[in-house]
Amino acid sequence: MPTPRRSTAPAAPRAPREPTVRRQHGHEVVDDYAWMADRDDPRLLRYLRAENAYADALTEHLRPLRERLFEQIRARTVETDLSVPVSHGGWWYYSRTVEGAAYAVHARVAVADSPGRPELAEGATPPPAERLLLDENAEAGDGDFYALGACEVSPDGRLLAWSADREGDERYDLFVRDLADGVLIDDMVRGIGEGVAWSLDGGHVFYTRLDEAFRPHEVWRHRVGSPVGEDRLVLSEPDERFFVSLGSSKDDRVVLVGSSSKTTTQVWALDSADPCGPLREVVPRRVDVLADVEPVGQGMLVVHNAGRANFEVAWSPPGAAGPADWVALGWTTPEEFVTGVEAFDGFVVVSLRAAGQTALRVVARDPWSPDGFGPAHDIDLGGEVRTVGLGSTPDPGSPTVQVVHESLATPPAAYDYDVATRTLTLLKRVSVPGYDLGALRERRIWATAADGARVPVSLVHRADVRPDGTAPGLLYGYGAYATPMDPAFSVARLSLLDRGVVVAVAHVRGGSELGWGWYEQGRMEHKENTVTDFLAGAEQLVAAGWVSADRLAAQGASAGGLLLGAALNRAPERFAVALAQVPFVDVLTTMLDPALPLTVTEREEWGDPVGDPAAYRRIAGYSPYDNVHPGDYPALLVSASLHDTRVYVTEPAKWVARLRSTVTDDPVCRPILLRTELGSGHGGRSGRYDAWRERAWELAFVLDRLGASEVTSAGREPPAPG
C-alpha cells in the first residue's frame, strides 16, 4: 500500500469557473474552463504554479525515494561514453557524452589519423586527433532548455549546419560553422523547422518555414553567408492537411522535398549540383497513396501502398510519371508490412514487419539481372520480444551495414553485418553497470479485445516474479498515427523491475505493430478499438496472474494520454494509479478549432467534427475531458509543458480542473496532481540529468501508489511452463 502520510492535506487548487456555452450540430456544451484557451491569461499561469506547489506538498514525503531513483538511473548509466563511430568521406563521425555534462558533444577523426574505429583514450578522454564539430553544452549555456534539431556536415566536409530550439516550441534557429577554423559564419536564419539539406557544393542550405499553426508549409533556399532577405522560396504548400519535409539521397546528389498528409504523399527531387534549378516531381499527389523514395542511379526505389495495403517496394525508372509506370519488385508478401528501404552500391536493405515483429531483408544489386537486383535473404537475430532496425551507415559504398538490436530486457547493441558472408560483428552494446540483466525475463502474451481481435502485449519482469496474482504492474499504451511501440530497453525501468513491478506494453490498434490494417482499425470511426484493446490488455495481465487486480498502474503520453483518459472514464476501477504525460485529452474542443496547431491535418486521424456530425458524435463519445463523470478515479499524476506546441498546456490543465470538480476528491487516497514544466516543450526537460530527475519524480509517485517503493529480494528462476 502507499507510504503512510498525514491524514490531512493542503487544500487543492480550484481553477476559476467561467461557464462558456458551445453549440455544434444541435449539441450544447457548457465548458467551465474554456477561458484557459487564452494562454496569455495571467490566471492560467497562477493556476499552474499553484498546482505545482500542491503537487510538491503532497509528494514531499517521496523526496528520499526520488533521490534514490535518480541515483539508481545515474549509477546504471555510463556517463562518459562514445557512440559507434561511422565512416564517411574520409572521416569517422561520432557523438560522446561526458560525466557531469547534460548534453552530447559531436566530433570527428580523420580516417588517415585512425584507420580503425576511434575509442575513448585512457581515463575516458576524447580520442586522439579529435576535431570538434559541435558541443551542445557550450551552445546550451545556462538556458533552461536546449534541443538540437538538424546536425549536417556539407557533402564536401567543410561546413556544419545545425538547428537549435531554446524554448521547447519546436521553432529552430539555423547556424553554419566553418570546420577548418571553427568560426561561425552564418546565424541569420531564425524560427524554422527542424530539418535542413545541403547543396552538393556546400554553398546553399535548404530549410522549412512554419506557419502560425506550427505546420512546416514552405521550403526555402539560403545562400550561406548572405542576408536572409535574399533567401528564395522553393515550394509552398497551401493545403493545411499537408506538412512539407526535406531530405537528401545517400550520395548527397539529390535533395528530396516531400509534402504529406496522413493519407497522401507528393515528392519532388532537385539536383543538388544545381541548387537554383527546378524541382522535378517524382511521386504525384494521388489521394490515399502514401510513398517514400530512395534514389538509385538514374531511377528510384519507391515504398508505396498503391494497390497493396501493407506497402511494397517498386522500381521507378527514369522519367516515370507515377504509379502506372512503377514496376513491382516482389520483394515482400502482402502479409509483410514494408516500413522503409535503404540502398547501397552493392545491396538494398528493406525494413519490414512480419507477424508483429520487426525484420530486415537484404536484396543484392545485380547489374546483370533484368531489373538490376538479385537474390534476397533475411538478417535473423531471433527473440520473441525484440526490435531490430538499421543503424547509421552513411557510406553508400560500404560492404557492411549497421544493425541495431534491443528488447525490453536487452540494452541496444550495434552490429556490423557483412552482406557477402552474412556474419554479424558486435561493435558496441550499451553497458549497464552494476545490474544483472540475466535476472530479467520477457515474453509476449495475447489479450482478446471486445470484438474478438487478438492484441499482443509485451512484458518484462524479474525472474523471481511469478504469475501468482500478487505483483504490482504498469501497462503502457499509445495507439495512434501508425506509430508502433516496439520493445525497447530503458535504464529507468530497471528501478520498477527492482521492486517487483511487471512492466507491459499493450500493442493496441492505432499503432502498426501488426501491419497497416492494425492502424486503420484504430483510427477515425474505429478509434474506440484503441481503448478497448488497452483495457483487454489490462484484464489479461490480471487474468494470467501477472499482476494483482488492485496494483496495476496505467501510463500514456500525448495521444497515448487520450487513450489513458478514455480508459479511465470507461473503467476507472481497473487501475490503482495513472501517469498521463502531456496528454491530448480535450480532443473535441481542439478538433473544432482549425486555428490550433495540427488540427486540420489531424482530421484525417480523428475525423472532422466541424463538417461531419457523425464525427462530432463519435469524438464526443470518447474525448476524455468531455466524459469525466462522478465517482472514484485512481490516483493520477498529469504532466504538462508550458511551451508545448503539440498539446497545449490548456488541455491537461482543463482536464485536471474538471476532474477535481467532478470526481471523488480524496487527496490522501486518490490524489489528482498536475505538474507543469514551465521552461520546456512536448518532450519535457532537455538535459539528461534534468530528464532523469523528472522521470524519478514520476516513478516515485507510481511506486508509492502501488505500495512498491522498496526493493524486494530476488528469488530463483521459476520452472519452465509445462
Side-chain angles (χ1 to χ4, degrees):
M1 300 303 293
T3 303
R5 60 182 67 82
R6 64 180 185 271
S7 59
T8 60
R14 297 287 174 173
R17 301 179 72 162
E18 193 173 285
T20 301
V21 178
R22 184 185 69 222
R23 297 178 178 86
Q24 191 82 28
H25 302 304
H27 187 228
E28 184 175 290
V29 173
V30 178
D31 189 347
D32 289 334
Y33 306 106
W35 64 267
M36 291 187 185
D38 180 4
R39 293 182 299 159
D40 294 326
D41 190 323
R43 293 179 297 174
L44 179 58
L45 186 57
R46 286 199 298 270
Y47 172 64
L48 297 178
R49 292 187 185 279
E51 287 285 3
N52 281 355
Y54 179 69
D56 286 341
L58 259 68
T59 61
E60 176 61 29
H61 65 290
L62 297 177
R63 185 182 296 276
L65 176 58
R66 291 199 298 264
E67 192 60 30
R68 291 199 302 273
L69 292 169
F70 171 78
E71 291 300 335
Q72 284 178 349
I73 296 171
R74 184 170 187 170
R76 291 166 178 166
T77 302
V78 178
E79 295 183 69
T80 299
D81 204 2
L82 186 77
S83 70
V84 175
V86 296
S87 176
H88 184 58
W91 297 91
W92 292 106
Y93 288 91
Y94 56 86
S95 62
R96 57 182 177 84
T97 53
V98 180
E99 182 176 353
Y103 301 96
V105 175
H106 305 269
R108 66 181 181 179
V109 171
V111 173
D113 294 330
S114 178
R117 278 190 169 85
E119 298 178 353
L120 291 176
E122 186 176 351
T125 58
E130 176 181 277
R131 304 191 189 185
L132 182 68
L133 298 176
L134 181 71
D135 183 347
E136 292 184 47
N137 300 284
E139 297 298 324
D142 296 328
D144 291 334
F145 186 90
Y146 183 85
L148 182 67
C151 186
E152 301 287 343
V153 176
S154 60
D156 59 12
R158 295 184 304 109
L159 306 175
L160 175 73
W162 78 94
S163 60
D165 169 15
R166 297 180 182 274
E167 295 291 333
D169 62 0
E170 299 184 59
R171 288 187 184 271
Y172 296 80
D173 296 333
L174 177 65
F175 305 90
V176 179
R177 172 176 290 152
D178 188 323
L179 295 176
D181 54 16
V183 173
L184 184 69
I185 60 175
D186 200 326
D187 64 350
M188 291 175 281
V189 183
R190 302 300 174 98
I192 66 173
E194 179 178 0
V196 302
W198 280 103
S199 64
L200 191 61
D201 65 358
H204 293 82
V205 178
F206 296 87
Y207 63 89
T208 62
R209 285 280 184 198
L210 284 66
D211 63 14
E212 293 183 357
F214 289 84
R215 176 181 69 99
H217 71 124
E218 294 175 339
V219 174
W220 288 77
R221 183 182 66 248
H222 173 71
R223 183 165 59 84
V224 175
S226 68
V228 70
E230 296 179 6
D231 290 4
R232 292 293 178 261
L233 179 66
V234 175
L235 178 81
S236 180
E237 176 54 78
D239 192 327
E240 292 180 295
R241 299 172 300 166
F242 286 75
F243 283 28
V244 299
S245 60
L246 277 171
S248 297
S249 61
K250 185 173 282 293
D251 62 6
D252 295 315
R253 294 187 176 279
V254 179
V255 174
L256 295 169
V257 177
S259 185
S260 293
S261 73
K262 302 295 182 186
T263 62
T264 305
T265 303
Q266 187 174 10
V267 182
W268 298 264
L270 174 70
D271 181 355
S272 66
D274 183 18
C276 299
L279 292 176
R280 173 173 60 90
E281 185 182 64
V282 293
V283 175
R285 187 170 304 193
R286 179 173 156 187
V287 176
D288 293 332
V289 173
L290 291 166
D292 196 10
V293 301
E294 175 83 339
V296 177
Q298 298 302 308
M300 292 192 175
L301 292 172
V302 185
V303 177
H304 70 92
N305 65 342
R308 184 181 287 185
N310 269 334
F311 294 72
E312 64 178 339
V313 186
W315 172 249
S316 178
D325 298 327
W326 297 344
V327 179
L329 294 172
W331 292 349
T332 58
T333 68
E335 292 74 31
E336 294 173 325
F337 174 37
V338 184
T339 58
V341 64
E342 188 168 346
F344 297 82
D345 293 347
F347 56 91
V348 174
V349 183
V350 182
S351 298
L352 54 88
R353 309 186 68 88
Q357 299 283 7
T358 52
L360 296 172
R361 182 163 297 157
V362 179
V363 182
R365 291 184 64 179
D366 182 357
W368 304 109
S369 68
D371 54 17
F373 302 100
H377 68 273
D378 291 349
I379 303 175
D380 185 9
L381 279 81
E384 179 189 20
V385 182
R386 50 101 172 119
T387 300
V388 59
L390 290 178
S392 176
T393 313
D395 181 4
S398 175
T400 64
V401 63
Q402 189 183 126
V403 175
V404 179
H405 171 277
E406 67 178 312
S407 73
L408 293 172
T410 308
Y415 299 85
D416 246 356
Y417 181 74
D418 189 303
V419 173
T421 63
R422 302 188 184 184
T423 55
L424 287 162
T425 301
L426 179 65
L427 300 175
K428 179 183 178 66
R429 185 184 300 280
V430 171
S431 178
V432 184
Y435 198 90
D436 179 13
L437 295 170
L440 302 182
R441 299 292 179 267
E442 56 191 337
R443 64 192 74 226
R444 176 161 287 181
I445 63 175
W446 295 80
T448 302
D451 62 355
R454 296 184 73 234
V455 181
V457 180
S458 299
L459 59 96
V460 61
H461 57 88
R462 213 175 52 200
D464 63 303
V465 173
R466 305 170 185 275
D468 58 8
T470 64
L474 182 146
L475 180 63
Y476 182 88
Y478 186 73
Y481 310 118
T483 302
M485 291 293 108
D486 289 318
F489 186 79
S490 165
V491 169
R493 186 193 299 131
L494 298 176
S495 294
L496 293 173
L497 302 177
D498 281 345
R499 291 159 174 82
V501 179
V502 175
V503 180
V505 179
H507 304 289
V508 297
R509 281 173 284 187
S512 58
E513 287 90 337
L514 298 184
W516 195 254
W518 199 243
Y519 165 56
E520 294 284 1
Q521 294 171 41
R523 63 182 281 264
M524 301 293 279
E525 67 270 21
H526 306 298
K527 187 60 200 171
E528 290 216 30
N529 285 337
T530 303
V531 182
T532 54
D533 285 0
F534 187 73
L535 291 173
E539 291 163 4
Q540 183 60 31
L541 287 172
V542 173
W546 283 112
V547 301
S548 168
D550 61 353
R551 301 182 74 194
L552 179 59
Q555 180 182 357
S558 195
L562 183 160
L563 160 63
L564 184 144
L568 296 185
N569 286 334
R570 186 181 289 259
E573 73 286 348
R574 173 56 68 195
F575 304 101
V577 57
L579 175 59
Q581 299 158 305
V582 290
F584 179 37
V585 283
D586 194 12
V587 190
L588 185 59
T589 304
T590 295
M591 296 308 298
L592 285 169
D593 188 351
L596 290 176
L598 308 180
T599 290
V600 174
T601 190
E602 294 282 286
R603 287 174 176 168
E604 292 184 341
E605 179 77 21
W606 316 103
D608 177 10
V610 176
D612 182 357
Y616 178 93
R617 291 191 297 271
R618 184 170 66 247
I619 298 171
Y622 65 72
S623 173
Y625 179 70
D626 294 278
N627 290 279
V628 172
H629 56 80
D632 292 346
Y633 276 56
L636 185 61
L637 173 58
V638 183
S639 68
S641 291
L642 186 61
H643 301 305
D644 192 343
T645 57
R646 295 175 183 258
V647 177
Y648 275 177
V649 69
T650 301
E651 296 202 28
K654 287 178 61 178
W655 187 42
V656 167
R658 175 166 281 186
L659 282 164
R660 193 168 283 133
S661 66
T662 306
V663 309
T664 304
D665 188 4
D666 188 336
V668 174
C669 296
R670 290 178 298 278
I672 298 172
L673 305 182
L674 172 63
R675 191 164 185 263
T676 302
E677 293 295 339
L678 300 178
S680 63
H682 193 63
R685 297 184 182 183
S686 57
R688 59 176 176 164
Y689 295 104
D690 284 345
W692 295 346
R693 289 199 178 278
E694 183 177 23
R695 185 63 175 143
W697 206 101
E698 295 170 339
L699 292 180
F701 180 82
V702 170
L703 287 167
D704 181 52
R705 306 314 305 180
L706 293 177
S709 58
E710 298 300 324
V711 175
T712 58
S713 60
R716 68 181 188 277
E717 170 71 12

